[in-house]
């Protein structure tokens, strides 16, 4: 491999990382500024509820269409165009801050951004296969996850300071700038030469036909289909975890003040450590599927440990399982996405990712509602249900997959 080619590959990785991190930080600032503006200036709870729920509904409606378009067009161009559209939406929204139309415009802008994201997200995930060497996809995803977790840890603090300095209108324009930077970085991406991609003109087919073809492909690739079903059940239990965790503030009120905030910090550190460990060790494992299953089993076992430590150990030690949980979950997420990007036919990557995102969006609220009614959210023993559920579906998958050919 020539030195120029190595530099080119490294350049693509850096461009993807910086672009993704910039957009994530901009989105944190965007959501914080809009939530604060709605609460403080508009003051109507239904506006905030509509603002937050519209995004989920739109993702359900448009994810599959976005995946189809990602597979029937120039992915690099589509990623650039969607980022530029997002930049324009944010810039225009800034003009309406403080106006009489602010509430309506904010809801419409957030809905439009959700549509743009439905096209951009599967495109961006599928684009990785075109610009990163197969043997470096796991490493590239790991380092992207490290940066994302670090932004999630320090981003809200910086976002609060930034909004305080430049105001809500300035925050919208700042977010527009992050999308613009992302688009400019994507323009510099170069396609790798080691993969054989089908560049012949694609046969014209309706969007519904393209989506149906994606489902047919997934049905034929049983190892990917079973992993998708596994991830769906995991999302169901993760929704219960996200619902249960804030109530630990009440459970540990006497022993550990602000336990929820401390648990989030420990989780973020665990996620960063897990991503680093994945980049150095896990991505080099020969059997990716077995390794990601072990990571998933680790998430379940760590939550089973929580009630035990809470009852029999020093109260602050009860924070440890949340770090272990996030560490194992980071490994699972990175290996899962990397396996899909490597194992799936490039022609169907966008549609497969759109199906994954759609299933995730559907199963998370289902898990939240079921767990809200089935679990006592103020009892530590509820973690046995969440951890046991994740462990059980992982073990069941191991038995089912014995009869399925798993390709690494």
């Amino acid at each position: 491999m020539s030195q120029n080619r190595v530099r080119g590959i490294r350049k693509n990785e850096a461009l993807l990382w910086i672009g993704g991190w910039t957009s994530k930080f901009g989105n944190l600032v965007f959501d914080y500024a809009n939530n604060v503006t709605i609460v403080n200036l508009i003051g109507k709870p239904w506006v905030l509820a509509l603002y937050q729920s519209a995004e989920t509904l739109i993702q359900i409606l448009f994810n599959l269409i976005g995946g189809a378009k990602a597979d029937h067009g120039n992915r690099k161009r589509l990623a650039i165009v969607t980022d530029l559209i997002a930049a324009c939406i944010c810039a225009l929204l800034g003009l309406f801050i403080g106006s009489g139309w602010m509430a309506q415009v904010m809801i419409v802008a957030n809905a439009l951004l959700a549509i743009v994201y439905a096209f951009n997200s599967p495109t961006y995930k599928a684009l990785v296969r075109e610009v990163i060497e197969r043997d470096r996809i796991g490493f590239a995803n790991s380092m992207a996850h490290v940066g994302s977790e670090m932004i999630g840890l320090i981003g809200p603090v910086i976002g609060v300071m930034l909004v305080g300095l430049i105001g809500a209108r300035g925050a919208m324009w700042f977010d527009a700038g992050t999308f613009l930077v992302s688009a400019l970085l994507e323009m510099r991406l170069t396609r790798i030469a080691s993969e054989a991609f089908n560049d012949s003109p694609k046969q014209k087919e309706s969007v519904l036909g393209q989506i149906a073809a994606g489902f047919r492909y997934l049905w034929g690739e049983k190892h990917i289909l079973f992993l998708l079903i596994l991830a769906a059940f995991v999302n169901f239990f993760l929704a219960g975890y996200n619902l249960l965790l804030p109530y630990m503030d009440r459970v540990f009120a006497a022993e550990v003040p602000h336990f929820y905030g401390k648990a989030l910090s420990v989780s973020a550190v665990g996620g960063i450590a897990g991503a680093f460990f994945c980049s150095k060790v896990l991505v080099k494992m020969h059997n990716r599927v077995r390794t990601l299953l072990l990571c998933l089993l680790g998430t379940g076992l760590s939550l089973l440990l929580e009630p035990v430590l809470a009852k029999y150990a020093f109260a602050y030690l009860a924070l440890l399982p949340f770090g272990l949980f996030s560490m194992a979950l980071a490994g699972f997420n990175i290996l899962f996405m990397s396996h899909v990007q490597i194992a799936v036919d490039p022609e169907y990557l966008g549609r497969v990712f759109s199906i994954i995102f759609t299933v995730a969006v559907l199963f998370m609220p289902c898990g939240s509602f079921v767990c809200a009614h089935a679990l006592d959210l103020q009892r530590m023993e509820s973690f046995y249900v969440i951890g046991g559920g994740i462990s059980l579906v992982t073990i069941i998958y191991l038995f089912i997959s014995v009869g399925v050919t798993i390709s690494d």
Side-chain angles (χ1 to χ4, degrees):
M1 185 181 292
S2 70
Q3 197 68 24
N4 287 336
R5 186 174 168 192
V6 171
R7 281 199 294 268
I9 295 168
R10 299 300 188 275
K11 181 197 75 171
N12 282 345
E13 292 171 6
L15 291 172
L16 285 175
W17 293 340
I18 298 170
W21 297 337
T22 302
S23 295
K24 181 176 176 65
F25 180 65
N27 286 333
L28 281 174
V29 174
F30 179 85
D31 285 333
Y32 174 77
N34 281 352
N35 287 335
V36 169
T37 300
I38 291 172
V39 171
N40 293 336
L41 298 183
I42 300 174
K44 296 178 180 178
W46 69 267
V47 175
L48 184 59
L50 184 59
Y51 172 85
Q52 293 178 344
S53 61
E55 184 174 348
T56 301
L57 294 173
I58 287 170
Q59 285 179 11
I60 294 173
L61 292 172
F62 285 92
N63 266 340
L64 296 176
I65 300 174
K69 289 301 181 184
D71 288 337
H72 282 71
N74 185 309
R75 288 170 180 158
K76 176 181 173 180
R77 185 184 301 123
L78 184 57
I80 293 169
V81 170
T82 51
D83 275 336
L84 290 176
I85 292 173
C88 292
I89 293 171
C90 292
L92 290 173
L93 176 57
L95 299 176
F96 288 89
I97 298 296
S99 71
W101 292 90
M102 184 171 61
Q104 295 90 327
V105 173
M106 290 179 78
I107 292 171
V108 171
N110 194 52
L112 291 174
L113 285 174
I115 295 173
V116 170
Y117 183 77
F119 284 83
N120 178 273
S121 185
T123 300
Y124 202 80
K125 290 293 185 183
L127 183 61
V128 169
R129 177 71 176 269
E130 297 186 11
V131 298
I132 304 293
E133 288 282 359
R134 285 166 62 98
D135 60 353
R136 290 188 61 84
I137 285 177
F139 171 77
N141 286 337
S142 298
M143 298 311 297
H145 194 87
V146 169
S148 181
E149 288 286 347
M150 293 183 70
I151 290 171
L153 183 62
I154 65 174
V157 177
I158 300 175
V160 170
M161 296 171 58
L162 189 63
V163 173
L165 287 173
I166 62 179
R169 178 179 284 110
M172 295 302 103
W173 292 338
F174 174 85
D175 197 43
T178 63
F179 282 116
L180 181 59
V181 168
S182 184
L184 292 173
L185 291 172
E186 287 159 1
M187 290 178 186
R188 299 196 60 200
L189 290 171
T190 54
R191 207 180 201 190
I192 58 175
S194 63
E195 294 282 358
F197 296 101
N198 183 10
D199 282 326
S200 59
K202 295 182 174 63
Q203 184 178 0
K204 287 192 175 183
E205 191 177 10
S206 69
V207 172
L208 288 178
Q210 295 168 23
I211 294 172
F215 277 101
R216 286 195 298 271
Y217 170 81
L218 193 57
W219 182 257
E221 299 292 327
K222 291 295 190 293
H223 69 288
I224 299 293
L225 177 62
F226 285 175
L227 279 176
L228 174 57
I229 294 171
L230 174 67
F233 280 106
V234 171
N235 282 330
F236 180 89
F237 287 108
L238 286 180
Y241 169 83
N242 293 331
L243 189 68
L244 183 59
L245 187 57
Y247 284 88
M248 293 303 102
D249 259 1
R250 297 183 183 179
V251 175
F252 288 96
E255 296 92 348
V256 185
H258 308 295
F259 184 90
Y260 176 47
K262 292 180 175 66
L264 290 179
S265 298
V266 171
S267 295
V269 173
I272 294 170
F276 267 120
F277 182 72
C278 190
S279 71
K280 299 297 183 182
V281 178
L282 298 184
V283 297
K284 298 176 183 178
M285 296 292 186
H286 175 68
N287 194 315
R288 288 188 304 272
V289 174
R290 187 176 302 156
T291 305
L292 70 85
L293 288 174
L294 289 175
C295 288
L296 185 56
L297 188 59
T299 65
L301 295 178
S302 64
L303 294 185
L304 290 174
L305 184 63
E306 175 61 26
V308 178
L309 291 180
K311 187 173 183 179
Y312 297 107
F314 180 51
Y316 276 89
L317 196 60
L319 291 167
L320 177 62
F322 299 113
L324 296 175
F325 170 82
S326 291
M327 185 174 180
L329 185 62
F332 170 76
N333 285 333
I334 292 166
L335 291 173
F336 178 80
M337 287 297 173
S338 300
H339 181 69
V340 172
Q341 287 166 332
I342 293 170
V344 172
D345 186 330
E347 187 177 344
Y348 294 94
L349 258 179
R351 279 166 285 185
V352 170
F353 272 116
S354 69
I355 294 170
I356 291 172
F357 297 149
T358 301
V359 170
V361 170
L362 288 172
F363 270 72
M364 291 292 276
C366 291
S368 295
F369 282 112
V370 171
C371 291
H373 288 86
L375 299 180
D376 185 343
L377 299 179
Q378 298 190 52
R379 286 179 60 85
M380 290 299 306
E381 289 76 9
S382 295
F383 279 108
Y384 285 135
V385 178
I386 305 300
I390 294 175
S391 301
L392 181 62
V393 296
T394 305
I395 293 170
I396 291 174
Y397 176 84
L398 282 169
F399 280 106
I400 294 175
S401 64
V402 170
V404 180
T405 302
I406 296 180
S407 169
D408 266 1

